[in-house]
Amino acid sequence: MSKILLVTVGGSFQPIITAIHSLQPDRVIFIASDGEKGSKSQVIGEGTPCEVRRGAEVIERLPNIPTQVNLGENFQPERDLILVQNPDNLAECYSKICNCIRKLQQESGHQIMADYTGGTKTLSAALVMAAVDCGISLYITIAARDNLVKVERGELTQKVDTSFK
């Protein structure tokens, strides 16, 4: 059974790297914002589009996420990148994510998982709603919350209880 992980992409790539390393999926589907300033550059950007920052200072530049985690030919942008025009539009985000999950569920032999750590609040909320509605496993990458602005290195990925009992 192949493992497929859906992740939302925002300003920080590190939690996505952690989720991929922790969950060891066979395939990753990235949900990112389109446009000139969109988070898609962290997924398909050339050169070193991922930035490690300390405040406003860029302290390191790294390749895109698929390159960093060695997805190689397991990553096909036309298949594995969902672009949203407005990452703050809940209806757009939810419908694109639900359509993707439902299509995957129609195929047999997949374990589908989602990690909602990255992306706008709306994009993350849409992934959570779609995961719960479609009955797939949900994860979040967390760390000791010394920094309340963003998740930093040293985080771990854990399953979220969606039974709501």
Side-chain angles (χ1 to χ4, degrees), residues 14 51-60 147 150 152:
Q14 290 102 331
E51 298 177 342
V52 178
R53 295 179 165 272
R54 185 178 305 125
E57 177 189 7
V58 176
I59 58 173
E60 187 177 9
N147 180 347
K150 69 175 188 171
E152 294 184 6

Side-chain angles (χ1 to χ4, degrees), residues 5-9 16 19-20 28-32 114-116 127:
L5 175 64
L6 283 80
V7 294
T8 46
V9 182
I16 297 167
I20 294 168
V28 180
I29 297 175
F30 299 90
I31 306 155
D115 185 295
Y116 65 97
L127 181 57

